[in-house]
Amino acid sequence: MYQEPYDEEGVRAEEVELPTVYAGDDFVEEIEFSQADATPEVQNPEIVRFIIHFHRMVTERNVWDLHAVYENGWNQLTEKFYPKAPWPEPEAIAQLVNDDAVFLILYKELYYRHIYAKLQPSIDDRFASYTNYCDLFNYILNSSEEPTDLELPNQWLWDIIDEFIYQFQSFCIYRSKVKSKSDVEIELLKERPDVWNVHNVLNVLYSLIQKSRINEQLLVSKNGGDMLEAAGEFGSRPLYRLLGYFSIIGLLRVHCLLGDYVLALKTMENVELNKKGLFARVTACHVTTYYYVGFAYMMMRRYSDAIKAFAHILLFVSRTKQYHTRSYQFEAISKKSEQMYALLTMCVTLSPQRVDENVHNNMREKYGEQSMKLQRGGEEGLATFEELFHFACPKFISPVPPDYDVAANTAQEPTRHQQRIFMSEVRTQLSVPTMRSFLKLYTTLGVGKVAAFLDIPVDEVRDQLLVFKHKTRQRRHEDGSVLDGEFGPTTDLDFYLKNDLIYIAESKQGRRVGDWFIRHINKFEGMSLSAVEAQYMLV
């Protein structure tokens, strides 16, 4: 069987990539092709052989070979034959697969996903794709009292949940652009309020979690107990277990898109980020998890936790970059990484602290100029905060349809609202870096002297000192649920005020030089090896 026994702790991040076993057209050579196999709509023999082979892998539940077909075969043939055109319609290939209803649902999932990725979906495509997802989840959840024997690769299961949420997000943005809609489109939208309704989307994700009993399994994994009893009949099947687990990550994403960051982290209460869990088996899921956890922390003013989340995943991506280049999702992972570097830059500005040297160097290389503007503050700094936030934030959505009788485009309004919330917090912290720079120079300092330095009234200095004290205390996660944490200082600078005199205490951390030496030793060994190889070549 392809999926390993359930082990929340035992999955190493390095195991997320599977061997590539699809090597072009070779695997279809064994399938004999005759003109009788072709249909009037599908005449290309390579596509006919591929679909027949694809169908056989699904029906035989050959998950290992199916992964190769899905990860490589489909994408290679897409680039070769359909870079700017849709794949054959499902009705056109039905004859090739003996009208297999389950396979046709899976084929439609890929068919519409390709339209969303490479083409411009029409309103009919959006409705049809939603209907197909309903058919797919009804088959998995409600087709019978027993679990289905369908098996799919981990990557495909994640992509189903990921694409389902992406299309929901895309539809919410699409319907908000009322001004650019035709009368026919508006009437269709009015007639079908159920299509991509937020309650239906949430119901699917919660149903998959409930059916798989994944939260019960995660609790048993942490606290001990009978895993088989916790999983139940459905949860013991890899299909249900992984769909349930990925739905937890999906809920994290949906609640972030709706602006409910507390509920987003609440859904992750049984997932332990400090251990390599199931999310690490699929690189895209791994990156998505940390992006949305980090973003939720940032919007909750938990900058230390956000920095820890972003730095962790960015270091992972940089160390495994050579593997991602082989994946069809390399571009998406690279873009998400760029966004996280921008978020990390803002968080480090708002709550200065040490991060991994490799991550810090990459951040300085990508956003060094913006970082200087953020630190200087003022109008230029605020404009840079807005620019980076707009680039790096997710595309927020409204859970309710717009008023279709008002010709206005409101797609950007949810994002503007979240940006206003973030910027209001940034404005209250603009004085913190300046105040910190003065306090670091002294052990005792009079309030009047600070007022003279800053050219502001003494009362305003006291206000800024209170702001500094408040903003440098945050809830920090150490153990337990990602939402848990204890309040504490996030800066190495502490002070108290007595009789208009500021008493300052700075705790300096010792410089960590071990990593620096190890990295340069490895670099020196690599140079020595290269020199020896070059010498042998000359001989």
Side-chain angles (χ1 to χ4, degrees):
M1 199 178 230
Y2 168 73
Q3 284 90 351
E4 302 89 344
Y6 181 78
D7 182 4
E8 174 71 9
E9 301 182 18
V11 184
R12 298 198 307 273
E14 292 79 3
E15 293 175 352
V16 296
E17 292 287 340
L18 287 172
T20 302
V21 295
Y22 175 74
D25 305 335
D26 298 340
F27 83 103
V28 294
E29 297 293 342
E30 304 169 2
I31 303 174
E32 295 183 4
F33 173 79
S34 66
Q35 198 60 36
D37 291 326
T39 66
E41 296 85 357
V42 187
Q43 295 289 331
N44 188 326
E46 200 168 341
I47 298 299
V48 171
R49 288 196 294 263
F50 173 78
I51 290 173
I52 292 172
H53 180 73
F54 198 176
H55 176 240
R56 191 177 72 194
M57 293 300 101
V58 172
T59 54
E60 291 178 357
R61 309 302 191 238
N62 188 342
V63 185
W64 184 266
D65 288 342
L66 183 57
H67 176 90
V69 172
Y70 171 78
E71 177 87 7
N72 301 292
W74 175 272
N75 293 295
Q76 289 183 13
L77 292 177
T78 295
E79 292 300 320
K80 186 174 181 180
F81 296 111
Y82 305 109
K84 295 183 180 179
W87 272 71
E89 293 190 5
E91 295 76 13
I93 63 110
Q95 179 184 334
L96 298 175
V97 299
N98 302 320
D99 293 309
D100 185 332
V102 175
F103 179 82
L104 288 174
I105 290 174
L106 295 173
Y107 178 82
K108 286 179 188 177
E109 198 272 327
L110 295 173
Y111 172 82
Y112 289 115
R113 194 197 305 176
H114 170 66
I115 289 177
Y116 271 85
K118 301 291 185 180
L119 310 169
Q120 187 65 37
S122 65
I123 190 169
D124 292 332
D125 291 328
R126 296 176 189 274
F127 282 18
S129 182
Y130 171 77
T131 302
N132 186 65
Y133 274 118
C134 290
D135 293 339
L136 174 60
F137 292 126
N138 280 328
Y139 168 73
I140 292 171
L141 294 168
N142 306 317
S143 61
S144 69
E145 296 182 358
E146 296 182 353
T148 175
D149 64 345
L150 178 66
E151 291 188 43
L152 297 175
N154 295 350
Q155 180 71 56
W156 196 351
L157 293 174
W158 162 252
D159 288 341
I160 286 173
I161 299 297
D162 184 58
E163 185 69 17
F164 177 64
I165 296 170
Y166 166 73
Q167 291 188 20
F168 162 63
Q169 179 188 23
S170 175
F171 185 82
C172 290
I173 295 172
Y174 165 80
R175 73 184 178 189
S176 298
K177 298 176 181 179
V178 180
K179 192 174 182 180
S180 55
K181 296 284 178 292
S182 66
D183 293 339
V184 174
E185 288 176 309
I186 290 175
E187 285 303 313
L188 285 172
L189 290 169
K190 286 182 177 179
E191 290 172 6
R192 294 293 306 276
D194 60 305
V195 175
W196 293 114
N197 181 281
V198 64
H199 296 106
N200 295 343
V201 171
L202 291 172
N203 181 55
V204 166
L205 299 175
Y206 278 111
S207 296
L208 288 169
I209 291 171
Q210 185 177 10
K211 198 80 167 181
S212 65
R213 294 178 58 84
I214 188 63
N215 278 320
E216 291 81 353
Q217 293 187 60
L218 292 173
L219 278 173
V220 169
S221 175
K222 285 195 292 185
N223 305 324
D226 188 342
M227 180 63 73
L228 194 60
E229 181 182 348
E233 185 180 12
F234 286 84
S236 58
R237 296 293 184 93
L239 176 81
Y240 291 90
R241 185 176 70 239
L242 287 165
L243 281 176
Y245 192 95
F246 292 148
S247 293
I248 293 176
I249 312 302
L251 279 176
L252 165 71
R253 178 180 174 185
V254 171
H255 289 310
C256 280
L257 295 178
L258 296 174
D260 193 341
Y261 306 108
V262 174
L263 187 55
L265 294 182
K266 180 71 174 173
T267 62
M268 296 282 291
E269 62 182 346
N270 294 318
V271 177
E272 297 179 278
L273 290 183
N274 57 348
K275 297 179 181 178
K276 292 294 185 289
L278 291 177
F279 60 81
R281 294 187 179 186
V282 179
T283 304
C285 177
H286 197 174
V287 172
T288 298
T289 301
Y290 275 89
Y291 170 80
Y292 284 101
V293 166
F295 189 82
Y297 276 143
M298 187 186 81
M299 295 300 287
M300 293 169 67
R301 206 178 65 80
R302 295 175 61 171
Y303 302 117
S304 293
D305 289 335
I307 290 169
K308 192 186 300 182
F310 292 138
H312 172 88
I313 193 62
L314 288 170
L315 184 62
F316 167 79
V317 170
S318 66
R319 286 178 173 175
T320 58
K321 191 173 182 179
Q322 66 272 24
Y323 301 109
H324 305 151
T325 55
R326 301 202 307 263
S327 172
Y328 68 96
Q329 293 187 327
F330 172 71
E331 187 176 336
I333 292 172
S334 298
K335 181 181 178 182
K336 196 63 73 179
S337 297
E338 291 292 324
Q339 290 178 308
M340 285 191 285
Y341 274 115
L343 295 173
L344 182 62
T345 302
M346 292 191 291
C347 289
V348 170
T349 302
L350 294 170
S351 181
Q353 54 195 272
R354 184 176 294 171
V355 297
D356 179 86
E357 189 173 348
N358 288 332
V359 174
H360 183 266
N361 289 339
N362 288 337
M363 181 180 71
R364 189 169 55 187
E365 181 182 333
K366 296 174 184 293
Y367 295 104
E369 184 179 344
Q370 290 91 332
S371 179
M372 293 297 294
K373 292 179 181 178
L374 296 178
Q375 292 172 21
R376 284 197 294 266
E379 291 302 318
E380 186 182 37
L382 289 173
T384 307
F385 268 113
E386 290 181 351
E387 176 191 337
L388 291 180
F389 183 88
H390 193 267
F391 164 73
C393 73
K395 292 181 180 179
F396 296 99
I397 55 176
S398 171
V400 295
D403 184 350
Y404 294 118
D405 295 325
V406 178
N409 292 340
T410 59
Q412 291 297 321
E413 195 53 43
T415 300
R416 291 194 195 102
H417 177 66
Q418 295 298 324
Q419 183 169 305
R420 284 195 294 269
I421 293 173
F422 176 72
M423 292 306 299
S424 67
E425 178 63 33
V426 169
R427 286 187 177 89
T428 64
Q429 298 197 61
L430 284 179
S431 63
V432 171
T434 305
M435 183 63 69
R436 185 175 185 273
S437 65
F438 282 116
L439 295 181
K440 281 178 70 70
L441 299 175
Y442 299 88
T443 55
T444 56
L445 183 63
V447 173
K449 195 171 185 179
V450 178
F453 284 152
L454 298 176
D455 194 21
I456 58 176
V458 171
D459 289 342
E460 190 172 336
V461 172
R462 291 194 184 94
D463 291 342
Q464 290 194 11
L465 288 171
L466 286 173
V467 169
F468 182 93
K469 200 77 168 176
H470 172 63
K471 297 305 180 183
T472 54
R473 285 183 62 83
Q474 300 169 21
R475 189 188 293 274
R476 302 182 71 173
H477 174 261
E478 295 296 338
D479 197 13
S481 165
V482 293
L483 197 55
D484 295 340
E486 297 293 332
F487 277 100
T490 60
T491 179
D492 55 1
L493 195 69
D494 198 11
F495 69 91
Y496 67 92
L497 185 64
K498 184 178 180 181
N499 297 329
D500 285 344
L501 195 62
I502 308 168
Y503 294 87
I504 303 143
E506 183 179 6
S507 57
K508 293 186 177 180
Q509 296 180 344
R511 187 179 179 186
R512 293 176 295 180
V513 296
D515 292 343
W516 187 88
F517 278 110
I518 290 172
R519 186 168 61 255
H520 283 78
I521 288 170
N522 291 334
K523 186 177 180 180
F524 176 74
E525 288 179 348
M527 292 170 63
S528 300
L529 186 61
S530 299
V532 171
E533 290 176 350
Q535 186 176 4
Y536 277 119
M537 290 178 65
L538 290 174
V539 173

